[in-house]
Amino acid sequence: MNESNAPATYQLPEQMSTVSGDIDWLYYFIYWTSVVLFVAIVGAMIYWAIKYRERPGHKPTPTGHNMPLEIAWTVAPIFILVFLFHKGFQGYMDLAVAPANSIEIRVNAKQWSWEFVYPNGGSSPELHVPEGKPVKLVLTSADVLHSFFVPALRVKRDVVPGMFTTVWFQTTHVGHDDIACAEYCGGRSTGANGELPYEPSDDPRNPYPAGQATGHWAMHGMMFSETEEDYAKFLKSIGDKCDQFATTGKPCPADIAAEQGQKIYSNKGCLACHTTTGVPGVGPSWKGIWGKEEATNVGKVKIDENYIRESILDPQAKIVTGFGPVMPTFRGQISDQELNEVIAYIESLK
Ligand code: HEC
Ligand SMILES: [Cu+2]
């Protein structure tokens, strides 16, 4: 691994992530290879053009093929290209496979703004990450192709509607840099008063104040690599629903899962028979049932993960006293993840 926290140079911006060194090394390798070859080839051309120029008294002598020379200039570039491919692929894989302990942040791109959704469920138009911690971004777009680009991190990933792309990085020190969109994504447009489509930050480090026209070129954001303390503060400021996250760095997916569960409650039609208000419908209300003992046709049961799972996949196994055996099974129509989300939702209705 190469040194990865060099300041900005004439050619390249500051290095702020662990991959910067390797990527810049490759950049400079290609750059200097091109410089050397350019000087050598153009130099030789000029030298020989002068040396063998037409003059009185000089007769051209035709030259034939030179086999060793032709093989040499075919094989040498192949070695260089294979080496470059190898290095490039290595770098690609480095960015693609995130460490298991990465903090996962969702990135939603749209014309013309970035939204970052944090593991505590809060969201912000700014990307804040704790210094020295691996961060995995899961990116998607609401409309057209965008490309997420943070020059100092040397991280760039296409953001594609209808699918998720991922990229990860780890910053090396405290600092900040621009986020740009590197895929032309549409023309200039503003709100009625020329405002940005998001509330810009009043952070003095953010150079993009309100009142700027928008469009692809104005699809800016800011990335802040900050101390654990500042990061925790930031999480609080966007509505940290889960304090343990800030201190342990462990994601707190329960809130997010519960939110998803609520969607399943309406999308899959559970709401036709179940309420969340405490008033029973065709089926029992979900309000406050988590953890309770309940009477069924096979005796008392405790309402926990497994019971809820069974109730959904095999509703006739235990019939809640006072209700009919009318709930259809959702076996094959609900994934394990969705089951967990429904469970998290019911749990949140304590
Ligand atoms: C056609 C009406 C109906 C629909 C739709 C329905 N349920 Fe039910 N559900 C019931 C009835 C009636 C009961 C109580 C009888 C039983 O235990 O089977 C019940 C019981 C349950 C229980 C156990 C509750 C308790 O207090 O013990 C859970 C959990 C549950 N349903 C989840 C779901 C989920 C999740 C969905 C949607 C994916 C759903 N149900 C859709 C009628 C329905
Ligand atoms: Cu864009």
Side-chain angles (χ1 to χ4, degrees):
M1 182 98 22
N2 297 279
E3 197 60 28
S4 266
N5 44 19
T9 65
Y10 177 62
Q11 291 197 43
L12 293 173
E14 179 190 1
Q15 296 181 341
M16 221 185 270
S17 76
T18 51
V19 292
S20 312
D22 284 345
I23 288 175
D24 290 3
W25 184 91
L26 190 55
Y27 171 84
Y28 280 117
F29 179 83
I30 294 172
Y31 175 79
W32 284 113
T33 307
S34 306
V35 168
V36 167
L37 289 179
F38 177 84
V39 169
I41 291 168
V42 174
M45 258 167 59
I46 292 171
Y47 170 74
W48 281 319
I50 294 170
K51 183 170 180 200
Y52 296 114
R53 69 190 183 281
E54 189 185 7
R55 280 159 292 175
H58 278 255
K59 273 223 175 104
T61 41
T63 50
H65 269 284
N66 187 325
M67 198 56 134
L69 197 59
E70 299 215 9
I71 288 174
W73 72 44
T74 307
V75 171
I78 287 176
F79 275 108
I80 296 177
L81 287 178
V82 167
F83 174 74
L84 287 179
F85 176 81
H86 172 75
K87 284 297 243 180
F89 190 69
Q90 226 172 27
Y92 175 81
M93 291 309 284
D94 281 349
L95 283 174
V97 187
N101 62 340
S102 303
I103 296 169
E104 193 173 308
I105 298 176
R106 294 254 171 177
V107 183
N108 300 318
K110 65 170 205 274
Q111 289 169 319
W112 289 275
S113 65
W114 301 101
E115 182 198 26
F116 300 92
V117 181
Y118 293 82
N120 70 352
S123 78
S124 163
E126 292 172 356
L127 176 59
H128 289 245
V129 300
E131 148 204 33
K133 287 271 154 65
V135 174
K136 178 183 176 184
L137 301 180
V138 178
L139 313 105
T140 194
S141 163
D143 37 47
V144 299
L145 265 183
H146 300 278
S147 184
F148 175 85
F149 182 34
V150 184
L153 299 177
R154 308 293 192 271
V155 158
K156 185 188 280 176
R157 199 53 112 226
D158 274 6
V159 190
V160 187
M163 67 180 276
F164 295 105
T165 50
T166 66
V167 71
W168 81 278
F169 61 87
Q170 179 173 332
T171 61
T172 48
H173 57 276
V174 171
H176 60 92
D177 194 27
D178 284 29
I179 298 167
C181 179
E183 184 75 55
Y184 181 64
C185 59
R188 176 190 171 114
S189 161
T190 56
N193 302 309
E195 68 271 16
L196 288 170
Y198 63 86
E199 269 313 306
S201 152
D202 49 14
D203 192 307
R205 294 169 298 184
N206 188 338
Y208 304 108
Q212 228 173 15
T214 63
H216 160 68
W217 64 274
M219 191 166 163
H220 294 294
M222 290 296 290
M223 185 283 301
F224 299 103
S225 166
E226 46 199 18
T227 60
E228 296 255 341
E229 264 174 18
D230 286 349
Y231 178 61
K233 253 188 235 158
F234 164 75
L235 284 182
K236 278 250 179 329
S237 77
I238 56 164
D240 192 348
K241 296 180 205 141
C242 173
D243 284 349
Q244 58 133 20
F245 178 73
T247 45
T248 63
K250 283 233 164 43
C252 171
D255 300 76
I256 302 162
E259 251 169 60
Q260 289 303 115
Q262 185 172 21
K263 287 192 192 128
I264 294 164
Y265 169 69
S266 49
N267 295 345
K268 292 219 189 279
C270 320
L271 86 180
C273 301
H274 295 282
T275 74
T276 58
T277 57
V279 184
V282 177
S285 171
W286 287 355
K287 185 170 183 170
I289 61 170
W290 179 258
K292 281 220 171 116
E293 296 261 313
E294 192 169 51
T296 74
N297 63 337
V298 295
K300 286 216 166 228
V301 294
K302 186 168 186 270
I303 299 185
D304 59 7
E305 283 93 346
N306 283 320
Y307 171 72
I308 291 178
R309 204 185 151 84
E310 185 191 58
S311 296
I312 297 169
L313 297 179
D314 196 2
Q316 315 316 334
K318 294 174 184 120
I319 306 291
V320 183
T321 307
F323 294 91
V326 294
M327 174 164 161
T329 174
F330 285 84
R331 192 177 286 281
Q333 298 164 38
I334 191 162
S335 69
D336 272 3
Q337 182 175 342
E338 288 172 326
L339 280 172
N340 287 334
E341 288 163 352
V342 169
I343 291 167
Y345 179 49
I346 291 178
E347 200 178 341
S348 76
L349 296 169
K350 266 186 271 195

